[in-house]
Amino acid sequence: MNEFYEWLYDSFARPRIREEAFPPDYQEMEAEWLASIESLSQHERLLSQDMMTNVKEFWGERAFAYGVQVGMMLLDGLPIKEDLMEYIISPAAQ
């Protein structure tokens, strides 16, 4: 990932993410995961938590970077490939 996008994400997006605002399904899965890792050894628990944190960071940075790129394209009036439209604008909104 471009270091600039990582810096933008770390400086602006991540501090504003409130996990309590995530959908209820996510909240339930996270609570179940947290309960299930209690039975692991300390090493396995730390490994599991580190992995989950890394996954969140990885996908958060990617989603943020794609959002910045799409926003720049829309602001600049650049043409957006039709095959990307379904990922940018939901079919219902189109």
Side-chain angles (χ1 to χ4, degrees):
M1 156 111 7
N2 181 311
E3 287 182 27
F4 179 66
Y5 289 126
E6 288 181 34
W7 175 82
L8 279 174
Y9 177 77
D10 290 341
S11 300
F12 297 101
R14 187 175 356 149
R16 289 170 178 76
I17 293 174
R18 294 183 1 258
E19 289 205 22
E20 64 272 5
F22 283 18
D25 290 348
Y26 172 85
Q27 300 286 347
E28 290 171 18
M29 283 190 295
E30 184 176 38
E32 186 177 337
W33 170 71
L34 287 170
S36 70
I37 66 170
E38 290 301 315
S39 63
L40 300 175
S41 70
Q42 182 177 3
H43 173 75
E44 291 170 328
R45 189 171 41 251
L46 288 174
L47 184 63
S48 180
Q49 289 171 325
D50 285 348
M51 184 64 192
M52 183 57 74
T53 299
N54 288 339
V55 166
K56 287 179 184 180
E57 292 291 317
F58 175 84
W59 286 109
E61 289 171 358
R62 289 323 169 270
F64 180 78
Y66 288 135
V68 168
Q69 292 171 8
V70 169
M72 290 171 59
M73 286 190 287
L74 292 173
L75 285 173
D76 287 342
L78 297 175
I80 298 174
K81 293 181 180 179
E82 288 300 317
D83 59 334
L84 294 178
M85 287 307 290
E86 67 183 89
Y87 299 107
I88 298 168
I89 303 173
S90 72
Q94 291 179 9

